[in-house]
Amino acid sequence: MNAPTMNNPNTVEFASPSLLRRFAAMVYDTLLIMAISILYGAVMTGINVAVKGVPETGERVTWGIFGVVVFIGWIFTIGLFFCYFWHKSGQTLGMKTWRMKIVNGDNLNCPSYAQCIIRFLCAPLSLCFFGAGYWLMYTNAERQTLHDKISKTRTVLLSKETK
């Protein structure tokens, strides 16, 4: 069922993407996150060198306590990437390629920033224990994953025409 169907005037239902499709989109998005991470690391290394100076030949850049701040900033940067695209269009590039979209509970609108933040923070939990949070989608009629349920969002499969 790719096209939306109406059960009642206030709710639209879409098909749910398969687990394989979700993981394929994750691979695409991981490649983007790797590029963003490399850029972030280069900028932070540049700042470190500007503040501490160039290390001696053969020595590594040292971070000290600044390393914790850099790590937190990196997580924040990744979260900003996902939350921005989920809130703006309901899709990252990987999701757009695989015709998936995140919507809030009414199946029509993109999620709020609060829902996006909750989803981002809970998504890693779904990967724990061999992806148990993803396998949860086969135990409920709405085919929601753990982070879908916690954030009150859902992932829908779009028809080829609405990509």
Side-chain angles (χ1 to χ4, degrees), residues 1 3 8 15 24 31 35 41 58 61 69 72 74 78 87 89 107 116 129 150:
M1 157 170 86
N8 69 47
L31 295 172
V61 172
V69 174
I72 291 169
W74 176 62
I78 294 170
H87 179 72
S89 64
N107 288 350
C116 293
F129 305 110
I150 293 172

Side-chain angles (χ1 to χ4, degrees), residues 40 44 63 65-80 120-121:
Y40 177 80
M44 290 298 107
W63 295 95
I65 192 67
F66 186 59
V68 174
V69 174
V70 170
F71 178 76
I72 291 169
W74 176 62
I75 297 298
F76 179 79
T77 302
I78 294 170
L80 186 64
F120 173 75
L121 294 174

Side-chain angles (χ1 to χ4, degrees), residues 56-150:
E56 297 294 324
T57 304
E59 295 294 318
R60 296 173 52 160
V61 172
T62 59
W63 295 95
I65 192 67
F66 186 59
V68 174
V69 174
V70 170
F71 178 76
I72 291 169
W74 176 62
I75 297 298
F76 179 79
T77 302
I78 294 170
L80 186 64
F81 167 82
F82 282 108
C83 291
Y84 172 77
F85 284 104
W86 287 339
H87 179 72
K88 180 182 176 229
S89 64
Q91 299 174 298
T92 60
L93 185 59
M95 296 172 76
K96 188 173 184 93
T97 302
W98 288 94
R99 297 187 352 256
M100 297 186 309
K101 184 174 183 175
I102 305 295
V103 294
N104 66 8
D106 66 8
N107 288 350
L108 296 173
N109 299 313
C110 294
S112 68
Y113 275 118
Q115 287 176 303
C116 293
I117 291 167
I118 292 168
R119 183 180 176 84
F120 173 75
L121 294 174
C122 294
L125 297 174
S126 290
L127 288 172
C128 294
F129 305 110
F130 304 104
Y134 282 92
W135 292 104
L136 181 68
M137 67 182 269
Y138 292 113
T139 65
N140 61 75
E142 297 85 26
R143 292 184 53 138
Q144 289 180 290
T145 60
L146 177 64
H147 50 283
D148 280 331
K149 285 188 167 293
I150 293 172

